[in-house]
Amino acid sequence: MDDIDRNILRELQKDGRLTNQELAQRVGLSASPCMRRVRQLELDGVIQGYRAVVDPATVGRGFEVLVSIEVRRDRETVEAFEEALQDIPDVIEAHRLFGSPGCLLRIAVADLAAYERLWIERLTALAGVTEVNSQIIMKRIKEPKGLPVDG
């Protein structure tokens, strides 16, 4: 990956809706070589997809919670827990961690009552869960803007 590829990644992370012509201009290429590079970055798995960034409040999910969960640490339990998380749409991110806690979730729901229902009906009911701790997000200070792609 060279500097031009890194510039392509920077620009697409800022605005994934750029036309190829606009992108080519910004990175100092003509349209055809720019398109070839983008396609190659996609084929290589460097660019994994394109998404719209949605305001959580406008879709009724302005209440976000970070949840640390302890799960019994045997292979079957962990695998079943991770699979069960896939079926809970309110869990918008999930990370298995080394050490304690064993898992960190980011959850987006409508309000505290919705989170309480999720906590009681789904999270504490998952097989192997031994502890659930919640941290309500007061304010997002820094939005995700993409990864640094410096060489």
Side-chain angles (χ1 to χ4, degrees):
M1 183 177 311
D2 63 13
D3 287 341
I4 294 173
D5 288 336
R6 284 193 255 300
N7 285 336
I8 288 170
L9 295 174
R10 276 188 211 94
E11 293 299 328
L12 287 175
Q13 286 187 108
K14 286 182 209 170
D15 183 358
R17 294 188 65 171
L18 286 173
T19 66
N20 184 60
Q21 188 66 40
E22 292 169 320
L23 179 60
Q25 254 182 333
R26 290 185 186 190
V27 300
L29 290 175
S30 59
S32 291
C34 183
M35 180 60 75
R36 278 194 299 276
R37 283 178 177 259
V38 170
R39 294 283 181 248
Q40 192 62 53
L41 289 167
E42 292 169 347
L43 288 170
D44 292 344
V46 177
I47 296 174
Q48 296 181 345
Y50 301 88
R51 295 182 178 89
V53 178
V54 177
D55 175 13
T58 63
V59 293
R61 294 190 175 268
F63 191 84
E64 291 189 31
V65 185
L66 297 177
V67 180
S68 59
I69 294 186
E70 286 294 350
V71 178
R72 281 193 325 270
R73 296 186 188 221
D74 62 85
R75 183 178 178 169
E76 286 179 19
T77 302
V78 169
E79 287 175 354
F81 170 80
E82 290 178 1
E83 188 174 323
L85 288 179
Q86 304 304 315
D87 296 328
I88 305 174
D90 302 313
V91 176
I92 58 175
E93 285 184 55
H95 305 274
R96 186 189 320 162
L97 307 174
F98 286 106
S100 186
C103 188
L104 182 64
L105 311 179
R106 184 169 147 231
I107 292 175
V109 292
D111 53 28
L112 181 58
Y115 177 64
E116 182 180 12
R117 279 190 307 280
L118 176 70
W119 191 90
I120 290 169
E121 295 171 9
R122 303 290 301 270
L123 298 179
T124 60
L126 291 169
V129 170
T130 60
E131 189 175 337
V132 179
N133 292 299
S134 308
Q135 301 291 318
I136 297 170
I137 295 175
M138 180 188 304
K139 174 184 175 184
R140 186 174 296 181
I141 297 169
K142 184 176 180 181
E143 294 286 333
K145 299 288 185 194
L147 295 172
V149 290
D150 300 331

